[in-house]
Amino acid sequence: MSMGFPGNGFEQPVALFLLVNLVIALLRAARGPTVADRMLMALLFGSTGVGILVLLSAHGGTPLIDVALTLALLAAISGIAFARRAWQSGHGAENETRRTRKGRDDRHPD
Amino acid sequence: MIDTLIEWTSRLLLIVGTFFYLAGTIGLLRFPDVYSRLHALAKADNLGLGYIVLGMAVQAESLAVAAKLLMIWPLTLAASASVGYAIARRAALERLAHAGRTVPLPFRAGRKPRRGRHMSGGLIFAVTGAVLFAMGGAAVILLADLLRRILAFNLMGSGVFLILTQSVALPLAIYGRAYFARAATESRFFWTLTGFLLAGLNALFLSTDLFNLYVTLEITGPLLLSAIACLLMVAGLLLKTALFPFHYWLPPAHGGAAGAWLLLNPPLITAAARVATGTFAESKISPLAWARFIAAHEYQTILPGGSVADD
């Protein structure tokens, strides 16, 4: 398979760094406190994932660039779908201004 | 001389990109409210991606590869602009708290969304679906190898899903209001996607007369690369199935996604390919190739999951 890149030896360490970066950012998802913050994490998975795929294309070959393109497109659509559809008022969003409601887990009302 | 220059330019760009990703993560962790965190994500991370794409494009061997790489960046910029706007607007509508002295929001933040408002979004989703379907269809016809055709076909599947479930007029005419019940939508999604994928595999086989999946997917890489691929794969699977580290933070969006189908899909495709070519025992699919499928399917199923959870 034609590789398309000579590679400069920095790609894999940088990709690994981005992966660690992503894992650390998961703390934000853990802390919340709103559904929107967690969705931001999903978007971060998208942009970091595209970056990692682009970096790995130095060794994995140019098809990974296609995957990166597809991923960029679909990650965006998932964000829009979330903001317009999935984010429900009231029980969907744990509102920061109403954090004193009893049960932390009110995302599954039943 | 020129080669060394290119090499070091590329390294420098990659490191600058890494810095911006790091800055984005620090912002995401340290900023006080949703609105400012959105800035960290939409600005810093996309700048980092821009530098990384540039760093890779500089060292690309052909112009076509560089051009394709550089296409990624405007796409993510446009995407993050619209997603950022949508999330910020919705957050303001939900009256999420601002931290500290902030300027007033430039839109009517006090208005709550009307009940049943989601129905009006149908046209956008229908158009998006049609565009996705057309793009995917053109790509399926034009592209050369099987892997890219399958990816393009998934794009087509997403489009079909959006048209069938999210546009109001068509499903309303066919199935009536009950169509929008969650269970119906879920099963519709599942069977639509499954049916279309199977039909697509048949069509691919008929058109190419060839199922050499493992030839097009053949990849050899160093150990670290395989390790990263496996990590990504495991993270993707955990996310998809909402297992331990991810079980509590997922938005309800994941409620209806077809997890089982996702898990079965790459092995199924591989098995089908082997049976079709009669080479069942001969070759194996590499972990990275599998990870590619998983990555593509991840984002494809988050989308339907997100829209299904509306009801």
Side-chain angles (χ1 to χ4, degrees):
Chain A
M1 173 182 289
S2 154
M3 285 308 178
F5 301 101
N8 58 24
F10 272 39
E11 291 91 358
Q12 289 188 34
V14 170
L16 195 66
F17 179 86
L18 292 192
L19 204 62
V20 173
N21 199 24
L22 190 59
V23 170
I24 292 171
L26 274 175
L27 278 176
R28 171 50 63 200
R31 282 197 271 174
T34 63
V35 190
D37 295 304
R38 302 192 169 114
M39 191 60 202
L40 289 186
M41 270 310 301
L43 293 178
L44 186 66
F45 264 87
S47 66
T48 311
V50 172
I52 291 176
L53 282 172
V54 166
L55 286 167
L56 291 189
S57 70
H59 294 282
T62 49
L64 278 180
I65 299 177
D66 297 341
V67 180
L69 261 171
T70 318
L71 200 147
L73 194 63
L74 293 175
I77 296 170
S78 70
I80 298 283
F82 165 75
R84 289 196 59 105
R85 301 293 173 112
W87 184 351
Q88 301 180 1
S89 332
H91 62 264
E94 301 143 81
N95 200 321
E96 270 183 338
T97 58
R98 293 185 261 140
R99 268 170 81 186
T100 49
R101 287 164 60 157
K102 83 173 160 70
R104 186 183 161 275
D105 190 282
D106 56 356
R107 282 163 303 169
H108 307 288
D110 38 34
Chain B
M1 175 62 201
I2 286 289
D3 280 355
T4 325
L5 192 66
I6 287 178
E7 200 174 305
W8 280 102
T9 312
S10 165
R11 286 180 184 168
L12 187 68
L13 287 170
L14 289 190
I15 287 173
V16 172
T18 316
F19 166 75
F20 279 110
Y21 267 107
L22 183 66
T25 298
I26 292 173
L28 192 67
L29 290 176
R30 300 287 303 160
F31 280 169
D33 60 15
V34 178
Y35 307 98
S36 47
R37 281 173 213 141
L38 210 49
H39 279 282
L41 197 68
K43 294 198 173 109
D45 274 355
N46 281 311
L47 198 53
L49 180 64
Y51 274 109
I52 280 179
V53 164
L54 206 58
M56 295 302 287
V58 161
Q59 53 157 312
E61 275 167 354
S62 71
L63 197 61
V65 172
K68 198 192 273 181
L69 266 175
L70 290 177
M71 266 169 58
I72 294 178
W73 198 44
L75 186 66
T76 51
L77 279 188
S80 77
S82 38
V83 170
Y85 172 75
I87 288 184
R89 181 172 185 276
R90 189 67 199 272
L93 287 175
E94 299 282 340
R95 298 168 201 245
L96 290 193
H98 259 282
R101 305 172 297 274
T102 45
V103 291
L105 287 166
F107 41 80
R108 288 171 294 164
R111 195 166 57 89
K112 297 289 276 185
R114 272 184 289 125
R115 202 78 194 128
R117 182 174 164 274
H118 62 284
M119 300 284 276
S120 67
L123 186 64
I124 295 172
F125 280 88
V127 171
T128 315
V131 169
L132 277 181
F133 185 80
M135 278 171 58
V140 165
I141 295 168
L142 293 176
L143 288 178
D145 69 76
L146 196 57
L147 168 71
R148 293 174 209 198
R149 280 187 167 184
I150 289 177
L151 287 178
F153 195 79
N154 276 336
L155 215 58
M156 270 173 88
S158 307
V160 168
F161 167 76
L162 278 180
I163 295 172
L164 281 186
T165 59
Q166 298 302 314
S167 72
V168 178
L170 184 67
L172 204 62
I174 299 176
Y175 305 109
R177 287 195 73 84
Y179 179 78
F180 290 98
R182 181 186 173 120
T185 318
E186 277 177 22
S187 64
R188 194 73 55 194
F189 160 66
F190 184 83
W191 291 114
T192 307
L193 197 63
T194 311
F196 268 87
L197 273 173
L198 290 179
L201 280 174
N202 282 328
L204 285 173
F205 180 62
L206 285 178
S207 65
T208 59
D209 214 24
L210 197 65
F211 246 135
N212 58 347
L213 208 60
Y214 24 81
V215 176
T216 47
L217 298 186
E218 194 66 40
I219 282 179
T220 52
L223 192 64
L224 180 58
L225 185 64
S226 311
I228 291 178
C230 289
L231 276 177
L232 277 175
M233 215 162 72
V234 170
L237 287 178
L238 289 178
L239 249 174
K240 182 71 262 157
T241 50
L243 286 180
F244 165 59
F246 302 106
H247 64 288
Y248 63 95
W249 68 270
L250 283 173
H254 274 238
W261 169 242
L262 177 91
L263 293 179
L264 285 176
N265 203 355
L268 265 185
I269 292 174
T270 319
R274 288 179 190 171
V275 170
T277 47
T279 53
F280 200 84
E282 268 176 27
S283 91
K284 57 181 190 292
I285 197 160
S286 76
L288 185 58
W290 207 44
R292 266 198 229 165
F293 273 117
I294 299 278
H297 281 271
E298 271 314 298
Y299 283 89
Q300 197 209 350
T301 48
I302 285 176
L303 149 74
S307 43
V308 161
D310 182 39
D311 310 292

